[in-house]
């Protein structure tokens, strides 16, 4: 829901707003609802045909103003231009490590002055005790929300060597390296964080 607030604050008139790795379009929809009278082009990009199909089936309720355009594409190959906001919610962690810097740089280059990147990621901690504590709490939370232990174990196994988390410092250093003016953590829960980086 805070993405609605962020969109209202940072969206620039007649700009593009990107949701990279849009999944079912929840972040796109939240930002759309925060735009009010600002006219922007909303673009959700995902490389899963099933996700894009579901997104397109759900947009019939939206007005033609700030309608969300969902695109089937690899975010590493897609173009970012005239953007006031780019959101990546738990997407970068699936990008190969050696391609992350160039992707963040492409986003930076495609942002307008004062544009922002919202980056949400699962993170690692330098301290192993902190890592283990957050890991245990996260899995306990899943169990309390109805997940069976087998489901939790299967998901963990499926994501191993596919989801490659980094430390918060890794993300902040990369953001700084490509030229963002600053980045701040606006949300943190367990081993999940979200940053706002401003150009």
């Amino acid at each position: 829901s805070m993405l609605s607030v962020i969109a209202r604050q940072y969206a620039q008139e007649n700009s593009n707003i990107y949701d990279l790795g849009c999944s079912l379009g929840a972040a796109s929809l939240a930002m759309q609802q925060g735009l009010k009278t600002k006219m922007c082009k909303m673009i959700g990009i995902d490389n899963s045909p099933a996700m894009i199909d579901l997104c397109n089936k759900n947009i019939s309720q939206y007005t033609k103003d700030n309608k969300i355009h969902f695109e089937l594409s690899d975010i590493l190959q897609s173009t970012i231009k005239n953007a006031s906001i780019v959101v990546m919610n738990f997407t970068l962690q699936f990008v190969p490590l050696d391609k992350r810097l160039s992707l963040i740089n492409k986003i930076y280059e495609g942002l307008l002055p004062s544009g922002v990147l919202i980056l949400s990621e699962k993170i690692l901690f330098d301290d192993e005790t902190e890592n283990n504590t957050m890991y245990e709490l996260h899995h306990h939370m899943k169990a309390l929300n109805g997940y069976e232990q087998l489901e939790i174990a299967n998901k963990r196994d499926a994501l191993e060597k596919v989801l490659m988390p980094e430390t918060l410092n890794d993300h902040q250093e990369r953001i700084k390296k490509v030229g963002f003016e600053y980045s701040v953590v606006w949300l943190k829960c367990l081993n999940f964080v979200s940053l706002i980086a401003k150009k």
Side-chain angles (χ1 to χ4, degrees):
S1 60
M2 274 298 297
L3 287 177
S4 177
V5 177
I6 290 170
R8 187 175 303 185
Q9 175 71 18
Y10 292 105
Q12 300 179 35
E13 198 75 38
N14 298 314
S15 68
N16 295 329
I17 297 176
Y18 291 88
D19 181 4
L20 303 182
C22 62
S23 187
L24 293 176
S28 298
L29 179 58
M31 290 187 290
Q32 183 204 49
Q33 292 172 338
L35 291 177
K36 293 296 183 181
T37 59
K38 290 182 180 176
M39 294 302 300
C40 299
K41 183 177 181 181
M42 305 281 301
I43 304 165
I45 299 174
D46 204 286
N47 66 355
S48 166
M51 292 295 185
I52 294 297
D53 286 345
L54 286 170
C55 288
N56 282 320
K57 286 176 183 176
N58 292 331
I59 64 172
S60 58
Q61 62 184 305
Y62 306 148
T63 65
K64 64 179 180 179
D65 294 339
N66 295 320
K67 182 178 178 181
I68 304 171
H69 303 267
F70 292 109
E71 300 178 4
L72 177 63
S73 181
D74 182 342
I75 61 172
L76 293 173
Q77 305 301 323
S78 58
T79 300
I80 308 296
K81 61 182 181 180
N82 190 42
S84 58
I85 302 172
V86 177
V87 170
M88 281 202 299
N89 274 343
F90 311 106
T91 300
L92 190 64
Q93 59 201 16
F94 293 105
V95 173
L97 286 167
D98 62 346
K99 298 184 185 302
R100 294 181 185 182
L101 180 62
S102 61
L103 175 57
I104 297 299
N105 185 67
K106 178 173 73 170
I107 291 168
Y108 176 83
E109 294 296 332
L111 281 167
L112 296 166
S114 299
V116 295
L117 165 65
I118 311 302
L119 178 66
S120 306
E121 288 286 292
K122 182 178 183 179
I123 61 167
L124 294 174
F125 298 93
D126 293 321
D127 182 79
E128 194 60 29
T129 300
E130 190 172 9
N131 258 330
N132 291 335
T133 300
M134 296 303 174
Y135 176 87
E136 290 169 4
L137 286 171
H138 181 214
H139 284 272
H140 186 61
M141 179 191 70
K142 286 184 175 181
L144 288 175
N145 280 284
Y147 285 88
E148 300 290 337
Q149 289 302 319
L150 182 59
E151 289 179 289
I152 295 172
N154 285 343
K155 184 172 184 181
R156 181 190 63 230
D157 292 344
L159 292 176
E160 188 176 4
K161 296 182 181 178
V162 177
L163 189 162
M164 302 293 289
E166 298 177 279
T167 66
L168 176 59
N169 185 65
D170 290 331
H171 292 296
Q172 290 173 322
E173 286 298 314
R174 185 182 292 118
I175 285 168
K176 182 179 179 181
K177 187 172 184 177
V178 302
F180 280 94
E181 181 182 348
Y182 65 81
S183 67
V184 295
V185 174
W186 69 275
L187 183 66
K188 181 178 182 296
C189 182
L190 301 178
N191 49 342
F192 299 92
V193 299
S194 188
L195 302 98
I196 296 178
K198 187 175 182 182
K199 184 171 180 178

